[in-house]
Amino acid sequence: WDETHFGKMGSYYINRTFFFDVHPPLGKMLIGLAGYLSGYDGTFPFQKPGDRYEQHNYVGMRGFCAFLGSCLVPFAYLTVLELSKSLPAALLTAFILIFDTGCITLSQYILLDPILMFFLMGAVLSMVKCNNCADKPFSATWWFWLSLTGVNLAGAMGVKFVGLFVVLLVGLNTICDLWDLLGNLNLSLVVFGKHLLARVLCLIVLPLALYMAMFAVHFTVLNRSGPGDGFFSSAFQSQLIGNNLHNVSIPE
C-alpha cells in the first residue's frame, strides 16, 4: 500500500506536479531523484497495490531504498563498537540486524522508512563519534562529526516528523555534555562559550537551515498544478502552471 503512495509522489517530483502530504518533503524528493537518475519516466499510475510495473523502470527507486536499508548494519556495528569497545558485541548487533525480517521487509520497497532509519542511525553514530572526540575539542575531526550530526538531524526531520525523537536524544546528550563542561573548573567561561556556540551552530542553526532549504527545493521543483492545489491560497495557486488561476492578479 505505502509503495503506491510514495512511489506516486516520486512520480510527482519527476513530472513537477504539485501535491500535498503530511510528511516533510526530503524522503519523497530522494525517491523521485533515484527514479529520475535510474531512467524512470514518472508515468506509472500507482493506482492500487499489486499492479505490475511491466516496462516501467522501478528498480532504481527500490534499489536506492534497499541501499540505505543495508547501511543500517554498518551503522549499528560502528555505533556499538564505539560505545562498548567490544568487537563481539558489535558483531552480534550487526548479525541481529542482518537477519531481522522487519528491516529486510522495510528496505526492499519504495518506502520512507529505510530513508528515515538511515538518518536516525546516522545521527546516533555521528553523536557517539563526536562524544569520543571530546578530548580533542575544536579539531577537524570533532567539527566533522558535530556538523555531520546536524546534517543527519535535518535529514531525519526532513523525512518524517518522527525524526524529532532523535533530535530529543541528541539534545539531551548535548545538555549533559555542556553541564559537565560547565562544572569543569579548568575551563574558562570563554572556552565554555565557544563550546556552546559550536553546538548552537551545528545542532540548531545548520539543521534548521537545511530543513528550510528542503522546502525551498520542494516549492521550486513542483511548479505545475496538481492534486495539492486546494490546500493552498488562491495567491499561491496563481503561481502554478496549468492552474485556473495561473498568472491571475490576486489582491492581498
Side-chain angles (χ1 to χ4, degrees), residues 1 11 22 40 89 121 178 211 240:
W1 169 257
S11 297
V22 295
Y40 171 60
M121 293 188 69
L178 289 173
Y211 185 76
L240 297 174

Side-chain angles (χ1 to χ4, degrees), residues 5-247:
H5 193 58
F6 299 118
K8 182 185 293 183
M9 291 177 182
S11 297
Y12 284 150
Y13 278 107
I14 293 172
N15 297 316
R16 307 191 69 171
T17 304
F18 190 78
F19 69 95
F20 175 80
D21 185 49
V22 295
H23 302 299
L26 179 61
K28 283 98 64 179
M29 279 198 291
L30 291 176
I31 289 171
L33 179 62
Y36 176 77
L37 294 177
S38 60
Y40 171 60
D41 58 5
T43 57
F44 186 72
F46 286 101
Q47 287 181 337
K48 65 180 186 297
D51 285 348
R52 293 188 178 277
Y53 287 103
E54 295 176 344
Q55 79 278 10
H56 296 279
N57 190 357
Y58 66 96
V59 176
M61 293 183 286
R62 278 191 180 174
F64 171 72
C65 292
F67 170 73
L68 294 189
S70 68
C71 290
L72 303 181
V73 176
F75 281 7
Y77 170 84
L78 293 171
T79 301
V80 173
L81 189 63
E82 288 287 333
L83 288 171
S84 67
K85 306 299 181 186
S86 168
L87 183 61
L91 287 172
L92 176 63
T93 305
F95 275 109
I96 287 172
L97 270 183
I98 286 173
F99 296 107
D100 182 79
T101 310
C103 278
I104 294 170
T105 304
L106 284 175
S107 299
Q108 67 177 330
Y109 297 112
I110 305 169
L111 304 174
L112 296 185
D113 302 83
I115 308 174
L116 173 67
M117 291 191 294
F118 173 84
F119 285 115
L120 288 175
M121 293 188 69
V124 174
L125 174 60
S126 304
M127 179 189 75
V128 171
K129 285 278 193 181
C130 186
N131 287 346
N132 287 351
C133 294
D135 57 336
K136 298 178 289 184
F138 308 113
S139 64
T141 306
W142 185 86
W143 277 111
F144 172 77
W145 288 115
L146 187 64
S147 302
L148 191 59
T149 303
V151 171
N152 282 315
L153 291 181
M157 287 191 302
V159 176
K160 279 187 177 183
F161 289 124
V162 171
L164 287 169
F165 283 105
V166 81
V167 176
L168 178 62
L169 173 66
V170 173
L172 290 173
N173 176 78
T174 304
I175 291 170
C176 292
D177 190 25
L178 289 173
W179 182 254
D180 288 339
L181 291 171
L182 186 61
N184 185 351
L185 300 181
N186 295 321
L187 286 182
S188 67
L189 282 178
V190 174
V191 175
F192 175 78
K194 290 180 180 178
H195 275 280
L196 178 62
L197 182 61
R199 284 158 176 79
V200 169
L201 287 174
C202 292
L203 301 180
I204 297 177
V205 175
L206 177 61
L208 286 177
L210 291 174
Y211 185 76
M212 289 188 289
M214 295 169 199
F215 279 93
V217 174
H218 171 78
F219 287 116
T220 301
V221 171
L222 303 182
N223 62 353
R224 299 182 181 276
S225 180
D229 294 14
F231 291 96
F232 289 82
S233 67
S234 299
F236 179 82
Q237 292 183 44
S238 68
Q239 302 172 35
L240 297 174
I241 299 170
N243 190 280
N244 292 333
L245 299 175
H246 182 54
N247 285 338

